[in-house]
Amino acid sequence: MTLPVSATTFKSLWETCASHRSIRNAKRFAVAFSGGPDSLCLLFLLHQYFKSKHLEQNIVSLTINHDLQAASQRMTARCRELSASLGIPNVVMSIPWSQPPFPPKPLPGQAIEEVARAARSQLLFDAMQQHECDALVMGHHADDQVETALMRLLRRGRVSENGSTGSEVALHNSITRPYRRWGMGFKSQSGTLGWAGLPGMDKWIIRPLLNLPKDRLIATCRENKLDYVEDSTNFNPALTPRNAVRAVLAGREVSALPEADVRSIHDAIDKARRMALASPTVGAGRRATTIDILRIWVRGLEQTRENLDSDDQIIQSKLELSKIQKHALIRRILRYVSPRAWGSTEAEANGRTESLERISERLFRSIDPTIPSDIAKLGAGADVLWKPVAIGNDGRIERLQPGVGRPKPTVGWLAHRSPPRAVERDAQVDVTSKIRERLANTASRKVVEVLWDCRFALTLKPWLLSDDVKTTIIDNLDGVSVTVEAGGEWMLPSVVLRRAKSMVVIGGYPKRRGEFIQLPWVDIRFIRKLSAL
């Protein structure tokens, strides 16, 4: 008999996620709600939890109408009814296909999984903004994690009989975290599909059900008489790769799939089972069904990922790091330094094993300062350069000079942003109209926020500008602008007042060399996080 999820079990799962201060202090939560058993179970349990605790947090459910099947309208109407039955407001959003940044609506027979996910993610984030939600809660569960691991194995193709270390690293990186920051998006260009920008750094994604198998979520719905929606497209193995993996794993009919695809999926399942039985989490003597073995194995991968995310586990100066730990540390540093969107794969060299291996090989071996190739800079993705440096006894960083006869220095590595491309160096963010709008209302204390180079957040307070600068901006509607531009070779933010034949820096970093210009009306802070979350 499959046990439903008890209130006590959910409390433990939720409060594990809520251990992070930003989630614990959140006031409004959005729940991604399709009406299916996973999201309905989640909506019910979360509602019951808040109700029992008499907490002030409130919930809104968000439903996406993909408009990709005839039943779409009926299903979204059912979502409204289910949400209303729990006393929770429901917001339905239809994907505006072909309206930028959204792509054209996929035609029958075209691949839809990736494009639908990207469009759904954009709408959910926009709705969080509109409804002032601090976090999005999603109903992903243990079986989703197993499917994701199998899909990763399928993408990698060949895997050794017992699972290579490289495969293990890739699998750990594919495991979904129970909670994480939303981030700036999965693309680095403002206005593109998936862009979240600066607001994304203050939003969170929470998945409290990752340790639970789907059958327990269904049992919870049945126990509490929750009449969930069955989406028939989830059972069509020919529609998406995930559906195909799910069908083969469950032993369902897959005659619509090419024989080669079915064989590849079976191979991936067999390889995953062998990797699981060889792992300390499962053990060779484990007697259980394949799906149960894979659930236990993936839970072990999750635990390893949680350990890697812990600063205490990954920052070890005296202990030998494993390959998985080295890659995790490198990815975290790349994400911190890169000018690509924080949280995107672009900021982690797209997770390419060869790039991470190149960096790891250089970072974790001894350097001979007398050998020029040993002290050469290294670039392996994410627009980050790694440079060997000498570290003085006082902790000061100095250039590492080659040569024989010098005292052997303490050698470290400095990771920094790569020199900008011409298009980046010449980029400008024009804030003139926003500043004029604020200055037109003398009582306004509304700030102007700018994300620069995906690294710096600028908070501009126009009411604190000097009177002469205010007058210049207000009285000269043509030929005067205020822009954020690159200051120096490191793309540091410079706020510039431009006239027809002159320019002056009115805050931030100088255009070339010189001291930082600290003025009350400009606040500049480095926005990227070193945390794995």
Side-chain angles (χ1 to χ4, degrees), residues 27-99:
K27 295 300 181 184
R28 188 167 173 80
F29 293 89
V31 175
F33 185 53
S34 67
D38 312 342
S39 60
L40 181 55
C41 174
L42 171 63
L43 191 65
F44 170 77
L45 290 171
L46 187 60
H47 173 63
Q48 292 295 101
Y49 172 78
F50 284 151
K51 186 177 178 180
S52 69
K53 290 290 184 180
H54 306 289
L55 296 176
E56 294 180 0
Q57 289 96 332
N58 53 32
I59 309 170
V60 59
S61 66
L62 305 178
T63 299
I64 305 297
N65 179 5
H66 296 82
D67 194 25
L68 294 174
Q69 55 176 309
S72 292
Q73 297 294 337
R74 176 178 56 79
M75 292 171 65
T76 55
R78 182 62 182 147
C79 285
R80 286 196 188 95
E81 295 172 2
L82 290 169
S83 193
S85 70
L86 296 174
I88 297 171
N90 175 252
V91 177
V92 175
M93 298 156 291
S94 296
I95 297 176
W97 298 112
S98 297
Q99 296 181 26

Side-chain angles (χ1 to χ4, degrees), residues 205-496:
I205 300 174
I206 310 171
R207 297 180 174 94
L209 306 181
L210 286 178
N211 290 348
L212 302 174
K214 186 181 182 75
D215 54 7
R216 290 196 65 185
L217 309 187
I218 293 174
T220 305
C221 289
R222 290 173 177 167
E223 172 76 12
N224 294 281
K225 297 180 173 54
L226 303 172
D227 189 15
Y228 56 83
V229 174
E230 288 279 15
D231 185 351
S232 60
T233 62
N234 288 335
F235 300 95
N236 179 358
L239 190 62
T240 68
R242 184 175 291 274
N243 281 6
V245 168
R246 183 180 301 141
V248 173
L249 188 60
R252 293 201 297 266
E253 173 61 42
V254 290
S255 58
L257 293 175
E259 185 177 338
D261 290 355
V262 176
R263 186 164 55 249
S264 294
I265 295 171
H266 276 298
D267 288 345
I269 293 172
D270 290 342
K271 290 167 185 174
R273 181 185 173 93
R274 288 194 293 272
M275 293 173 72
L277 293 175
S279 72
T281 308
V282 179
R286 173 76 65 168
R287 295 181 180 276
T289 63
T290 294
I291 184 61
D292 284 335
I293 287 174
L294 296 184
R295 285 169 181 162
I296 297 168
W297 172 58
V298 167
R299 179 60 192 131
L301 297 178
E302 291 172 0
Q303 187 60 58
T304 301
R305 182 62 180 263
E306 290 170 14
N307 291 339
L308 294 174
D309 287 346
S310 167
D311 292 341
D312 293 337
Q313 289 290 327
I314 195 62
I315 301 175
Q316 304 176 70
S317 59
K318 296 182 179 179
L319 300 180
E320 182 68 25
L321 297 179
S322 68
K323 183 174 183 178
I324 291 173
Q325 288 175 316
K326 290 176 182 177
H327 282 211
L329 179 58
I330 291 168
R331 290 176 73 129
R332 193 186 293 198
I333 295 171
L334 287 172
R335 185 168 60 242
Y336 183 66
V337 177
S338 173
R340 304 299 104 197
W342 193 98
S344 69
T345 57
E346 293 176 357
E348 300 179 26
N350 290 309
R352 293 187 298 266
T353 301
E354 59 270 25
S355 296
L356 299 176
E357 276 297 294
R358 280 186 61 202
I359 299 170
S360 178
E361 193 276 330
R362 288 284 303 278
L363 261 60
F364 295 99
R365 66 173 172 83
S366 297
I367 291 177
D368 186 342
T370 65
I371 301 176
S373 61
D374 265 20
I375 62 173
K377 292 181 179 181
L378 169 67
D383 286 332
V384 174
L385 279 182
W386 303 79
K387 179 171 68 174
V389 293
I391 303 175
N393 294 331
D394 58 357
R396 295 183 63 179
I397 295 175
E398 301 173 355
R399 183 179 178 183
L400 190 61
Q401 299 282 1
V404 180
R406 296 174 180 269
K408 188 172 183 181
T410 300
V411 177
W413 284 88
L414 175 67
H416 63 84
R417 189 209 196 282
S418 295
R421 304 171 183 87
V423 66
E424 295 172 323
R425 189 173 56 248
D426 298 335
Q428 296 181 354
V429 177
D430 193 322
V431 293
T432 313
S433 61
K434 292 182 179 179
I435 289 180
R436 282 201 178 111
E437 177 188 320
R438 308 299 194 270
L439 292 177
N441 180 0
T442 56
S444 173
R445 292 296 182 266
K446 188 176 181 182
V447 302
V448 177
E449 290 193 316
V450 178
L451 175 64
W452 177 254
D453 200 39
C454 287
R455 297 187 299 147
F456 295 93
L458 284 75
T459 302
L460 309 180
K461 306 167 187 175
W463 66 92
L464 294 179
L465 280 165
S466 64
D467 289 341
D468 60 328
V469 172
K470 287 181 184 178
T471 300
T472 300
I473 295 171
I474 294 172
D475 292 348
N476 297 275
L477 298 182
D478 297 318
V480 170
S481 64
V482 181
T483 56
V484 181
E485 306 176 9
E489 62 179 314
W490 303 111
M491 286 291 290
L492 303 175
S494 178
V495 187
V496 177

